[in-house]
Amino acid sequence: MTPLVSRLSRLWAIMRKPRAAVGSGHRKQAASQEGRQKHAKSNSQAKPSACDGLARQPEEVVLQASVSPYHLFRDVAEVTAFRGSLLSWYDQEKRDLPWRRRAEDEVDPDRRAYAVWVSEVMLQQTQVATVINYYTGWMQKWPTLQDLASASLEEVNQLWAGLGYYSRGRRLQEGARKVVEELGGHMPRTAETLQQLLPGVGRYTAGAIASIAFGQATGVVDGNVARVLCRVRAIGADPSSTLVSQRLWGLAQQLVDPARPGDFNQAAMELGATVCTPQRPLCSQCPVQSLCRARQRVEREQLLASWSLSGSPDVEECAPNTGQCQLCLPASEPWDQTLGVVNFPRKASRKPPREESSATCVLEQPGALGGAQILLVQRPNSGLLAGLWEFPSVTWEPSEQLQRKALLQELQRWAGPLPATRLRHLGEVVHTFSHIKLTYQVYGLALEGQTPVTTVPAGARWLTQEEFHTAAVSTAMKKVFRVYQGQQPGTCKGSKRSQVSSPCSRKKPCMGQQVLDNFFRPHISTDAPNLNSAAQ
C-alpha cells in the first residue's frame, strides 16, 4: 500500500464516524463546560458569556436550533488537546515584542495593565512592524498612567502622528486621566469593569488587558482569532454578523486556558498573524491542524476527487436539524476548490469609502531669522483628525475660479491680505482614511519680498520646515508638503512612493529628497475595526 493510499484510508476511516456519536459528545461537553463556567465565575467574578456555545441560556434556544454540533468542540479532551498544542507552539515560536517583555517583567499590576493597554490600542487596525517604534517611544515618554494623564493633547497627537486612527490616542489619554483622577490610579481588574469604566475600551481590548495583565480566564476575538476559529470549526458565514460573532466569542471563552489565559489569547492571535493568515496560510506549520475542520474539508474534497466518488458518503459534516445552517458557507457562495481552507470565512464585501475632495494650500513666507516658514491651522477637537494641524483647506468647488476664490478667502482669514496672482495649482494627493477617500487639490503660495506676518489668530501658527517634521500633522498633510516641495525652484521633484499627481511626480528623486521621503513615508492601516484589529 502506497503512503498516499494509506493516508487516505485513515482519513476515510476517521470521517466515517457516526453523527450520533458527535451529538452525544456535544451533550457531555455541555454539562462539563457549564460546570467549568460556574467555577470560573466564582474565581474571577467574570460573567459567563451569554453566547457560549455550551451554556444553556434561554436566549440561545433559537440559536442552538440553527447550529450543528459540527461547528462546536465535542468534548473536554478535544478542548484540552487544542489548548496544549497551541500553547506548546507559542512557547517555541512566539515573537519577541516589546509589549510582551513589559507584561512579563513588570511586577506592578497597574503598570503592567497600562503597558498592555497601550499596545492593544496601537495594534488596532495597525500592523506590528509599524507599532513597535511608536510603542517604544510612547513608553519612554510616558512610562506610567500618571505620566500620560499629565500630558497635553498636543503632545499625544504629536507622538501619534502617522499611526492613523487618531482618536485612539485621545481616548487612551482620556482613559488614563480617568484612572488617575477617579479610580485612585488603579486599573479596573476585570474585563467587565474595564469595558464599563474606561472610554474607548471595547470588549476585545478589555478581555486582552484582563487576561494578559490580571490572569482573568476570559476569551478574546480579534480579526486573527476570528479567522482561526472559523477555519478550525469550518464557519464560512460572515464573521461580522451578529450570530457568527456571538458564536465566535462563545468558542473563544470555551477554549481559553484558565491556567494561562493571557498566553493562550496571545497564542491564538499569533497563530492567525503568522500561520493561519488571510490568503496564504501555512497549514503544514499549524499546531492544531489535526483539529481543523477546514483542513479536513480540503482533504475530503481531494479524496473524493481522487477516487472519483459521486454523491455524499456518510462522513462527518454539518447536518442542521432544520433549514440551512447559519454558520456554514452561504448557499450563494459554495465551496471553491481553488481556495482550500481560505474558503473559511467568507466575508461580506466591504462598503467602499465615500469620495470627497478639497483644496489645500501651502502658504510660505521668509522667516524672521532666515529660512522659510509655512502656515498651519488646527482642526476642530472632534471629528476626523481631531486636533491635528493642517494646511489651510476648503471644500471642493465645481470651477477653478470658485476654487481659487474660496481658498484665497480662507488663507486671508488666517494671514491677512495676499497676492492672488501668486496662487499656483501644483497637483493632487489622494489619501484613503478608514471610510473616506479624500482627494486634495494642492496649491502653493510663496510670499517673497514682503514683510513676514508675525501675528496670527488663535488656532494658527507659522512653523519652520524642521518644526513641521515633528508637528502633530497627518500623513495626508505630509504627502501634500512633498508635492509642494517638488514644485519649488532649487528643490528635488516629487517621489514615486507618494500617492500624488503632479507635473514632475514621475521624475526620479535625488538623494536629498529620498531622505525626506523615507522620513515621511506613510504607515498604511488596512484592517477593519473589531474583527481585523490588533493584527499581530
Side-chain angles (χ1 to χ4, degrees):
M1 181 179 295
T2 66
L4 175 61
V5 174
S6 176
R7 183 175 68 86
L8 293 176
S9 298
R10 289 197 301 271
L11 176 63
W12 187 262
I14 292 173
M15 293 191 297
R16 290 185 62 85
K17 290 181 179 180
R19 294 192 185 108
V22 177
S24 175
H26 170 56
R27 287 191 292 273
K28 292 180 181 178
Q29 185 185 17
S32 61
Q33 178 67 15
E34 188 174 4
R36 287 199 302 277
Q37 284 183 328
K38 292 179 180 179
H39 179 68
K41 180 176 181 180
S42 63
N43 288 340
S44 65
Q45 298 181 351
K47 298 178 183 178
S49 173
C51 56
D52 192 317
L54 301 173
R56 300 299 185 183
Q57 302 282 347
E59 60 267 30
E60 284 232 331
V61 174
V62 175
L63 183 63
Q64 288 289 351
S66 61
V67 174
S68 165
Y70 175 75
H71 299 294
L72 308 175
F73 284 87
R74 64 171 66 123
D75 53 32
V76 175
E78 198 171 34
V79 171
T80 302
F82 187 96
R83 292 171 177 168
S85 298
L86 183 59
L87 284 170
S88 296
W89 170 83
Y90 179 70
D91 290 338
Q92 297 178 14
E93 303 295 336
K94 65 180 177 181
R95 291 171 290 179
D96 181 25
L97 299 173
W99 44 89
R100 288 177 178 166
R101 292 196 298 270
R102 280 185 175 268
E104 292 171 356
D105 298 339
E106 182 56 63
V107 177
D108 181 87
D110 292 306
R111 295 186 66 159
R112 182 170 62 245
Y114 167 64
V116 174
W117 186 12
V118 173
S119 70
E120 291 300 334
V121 172
M122 285 189 172
L123 286 165
Q124 292 170 9
Q125 303 143 359
T126 310
Q127 296 179 353
V128 164
T130 299
V131 168
I132 290 176
N133 288 338
Y134 280 94
Y135 180 83
T136 301
W138 182 286
M139 297 305 294
Q140 288 175 348
K141 189 174 182 66
W142 302 303
T144 68
L145 285 160
Q146 290 73 16
D147 294 323
L148 178 58
S150 63
S152 67
L153 179 59
E154 176 75 10
E155 291 177 300
V156 172
N157 283 337
Q158 186 173 337
L159 196 149
W160 201 275
L163 194 56
Y165 299 91
Y166 295 91
S167 62
R168 294 180 297 169
R170 183 179 70 252
R171 290 176 181 171
L172 186 55
Q173 188 194 36
E174 291 173 359
R177 285 180 173 171
K178 183 168 185 178
V179 171
V180 172
E181 296 171 3
E182 301 179 24
L183 303 178
H186 298 297
M187 290 281 290
R189 291 312 199 243
T190 67
E192 292 75 24
T193 53
L194 282 162
Q195 186 175 354
Q196 177 184 2
L197 298 177
L198 299 185
V201 173
R203 187 176 184 182
Y204 163 76
T205 303
I209 297 171
S211 61
I212 298 171
F214 301 127
Q216 181 186 358
T218 183
V220 299
V221 177
D222 73 341
N224 289 312
V225 176
R227 185 168 54 257
V228 169
L229 293 177
C230 282
R231 289 175 180 169
V232 168
R233 295 295 91 175
I235 297 174
D238 179 10
S240 65
S241 69
T242 300
L243 185 145
V244 178
S245 178
Q246 288 180 345
R247 178 58 54 192
L248 294 176
W249 278 96
L251 288 172
Q253 186 61 39
Q254 176 191 1
L255 291 172
V256 65
D257 192 322
R260 298 176 61 187
D263 285 343
F264 180 88
N265 287 336
Q266 291 183 89
M269 290 185 278
E270 187 87 341
L271 184 66
T274 62
V275 175
C276 194
T277 54
Q279 298 301 326
R280 295 178 178 84
L282 307 174
C283 294
S284 62
Q285 300 179 25
C286 179
V288 294
Q289 61 176 295
S290 63
L291 299 169
C292 181
R293 297 219 188 282
R295 183 65 178 171
Q296 293 168 7
R297 174 70 183 270
V298 170
E299 293 181 344
R300 180 169 73 92
E301 295 293 335
Q302 292 173 344
L303 181 65
L304 292 173
S306 64
W307 285 2
S308 300
L309 295 178
S310 60
S312 178
D314 185 18
V315 297
E316 185 176 341
E317 58 184 345
C318 179
N321 294 329
T322 59
Q324 171 70 31
C325 173
Q326 298 184 51
L327 297 183
C328 280
L329 290 169
S332 59
E333 300 180 65
W335 174 266
D336 185 339
Q337 186 71 33
T338 64
L339 293 178
V341 300
V342 181
N343 276 281
F344 303 101
R346 295 285 183 85
K347 296 184 179 180
S349 58
R350 187 180 302 178
K351 183 179 179 180
R354 71 175 186 269
E355 297 191 10
E356 296 183 1
S357 299
S358 71
T360 187
C361 181
V362 179
L363 179 61
E364 180 180 328
Q365 71 171 4
L369 301 177
Q373 293 179 322
I374 51 180
L375 181 67
L376 292 179
V377 298
Q378 192 169 29
R379 292 184 61 85
N381 289 327
S382 61
L384 183 68
L385 306 176
L388 296 187
W389 294 83
E390 66 179 5
F391 300 113
S393 304
V394 295
T395 56
W396 178 81
E397 295 290 348
S399 73
E400 174 69 14
Q401 183 179 0
L402 292 175
Q403 187 75 89
R404 295 173 68 89
K405 180 179 179 181
L407 192 54
L408 275 170
Q409 289 177 344
E410 177 68 9
L411 291 169
Q412 291 170 351
R413 185 166 74 92
W414 300 105
L418 297 171
T421 56
R422 294 185 184 178
L423 184 64
R424 298 184 300 126
H425 181 255
L426 306 178
E428 70 177 30
V429 164
V430 179
H431 188 81
T432 302
F433 300 93
S434 59
H435 58 292
I436 300 174
K437 182 179 181 181
L438 188 52
T439 300
Y440 295 91
Q441 297 299 330
V442 181
Y443 289 78
L445 199 164
L447 302 179
E448 299 174 352
Q450 58 186 80
T451 304
V453 179
T454 56
T455 60
V456 291
R461 62 184 181 180
W462 292 94
L463 297 181
T464 65
Q465 292 190 17
E466 290 73 20
E467 290 170 332
F468 174 83
H469 296 344
T470 58
V473 297
S474 68
T475 299
M477 288 299 105
K478 293 176 181 179
K479 291 181 181 180
V480 167
F481 190 57
R482 284 212 300 270
V483 172
Y484 176 78
Q485 283 189 309
Q487 298 300 303
Q488 300 313 299
T491 64
C492 306
K493 305 303 179 183
S495 168
K496 294 180 180 179
R497 282 189 289 266
S498 60
Q499 299 176 17
V500 301
S501 174
S502 68
C504 303
S505 62
R506 296 182 181 178
K507 295 183 180 180
K508 182 177 181 180
C510 70
M511 184 59 68
Q513 184 65 31
Q514 289 180 18
V515 173
L516 284 175
D517 290 344
N518 286 334
F519 183 90
F520 286 132
R521 181 178 296 174
H523 303 294
I524 300 175
S525 304
T526 57
D527 289 333
N530 297 327
L531 291 175
N532 288 290
S533 62
Q536 299 188 37

